[in-house]
Amino acid sequence: MKLITAVIKPFKLDDVKAALETFGISGLTVSEASGYGRQKGHTEVYRGAEYQVDLVPKVRLEVLVDDPDAEDVMDVITKAAQTGKIGDGKIWCVPVETVIRVRTGERGPDAL
């Protein structure tokens, strides 16, 4: 099993969720995040004053999948989240040793 984590622009969340549902993913975890990459934030103007925004708002998605599906799920997220502009985000994948469904005690792929 693999844990796929994606940090994307907040307005792309609905597109990514719809694409994952179409692919057959039935569950995911979403949390708010903030950070910066190469762009190191940006400047904004508010009431005539310019100020530096160091941490850019993002959304973090986490999806557990079987090993054979990992590459396809990362491709689905990439295509749905991509705008072609700086700050589109990152996706990474890490191995997961054990998954347990708390309600039933199922382990492994049955717990997905």
Side-chain angles (χ1 to χ4, degrees):
M1 284 172 289
K2 304 280 188 190
L3 174 64
I4 298 171
T5 304
V7 177
I8 63 170
K9 291 182 175 184
F11 70 89
K12 296 301 282 183
L13 177 60
D14 289 336
D15 294 341
V16 172
K17 280 176 34 182
L20 288 172
E21 287 173 7
T22 301
F23 185 77
I25 299 298
S26 60
L28 64 113
T29 301
V30 178
S31 54
E32 292 181 17
S34 59
Y36 66 88
R38 291 182 185 159
Q39 80 272 13
K40 303 282 193 259
H42 62 278
T43 58
E44 288 187 2
V45 177
Y46 179 71
R47 294 189 178 187
E50 188 173 320
Y51 65 99
Q52 182 70 22
V53 177
D54 295 330
L55 299 175
V56 181
K58 301 286 184 181
V59 173
R60 180 180 174 134
L61 303 170
E62 295 176 311
V63 182
L64 274 171
V65 297
D66 275 331
D67 290 347
D69 295 332
E71 285 296 323
D72 291 335
V73 170
M74 288 191 293
D75 288 341
V76 166
I77 295 170
T78 300
K79 288 176 185 156
Q82 197 170 52
T83 67
K85 296 189 168 66
I86 291 174
D88 274 354
K90 293 273 190 286
I91 302 170
W92 60 91
C93 179
V94 295
V96 174
E97 287 186 34
T98 305
V99 175
I100 301 172
R101 179 174 287 146
V102 174
R103 179 177 52 89
T104 62
E106 293 170 298
R107 292 176 176 261
D110 294 334
L112 295 177

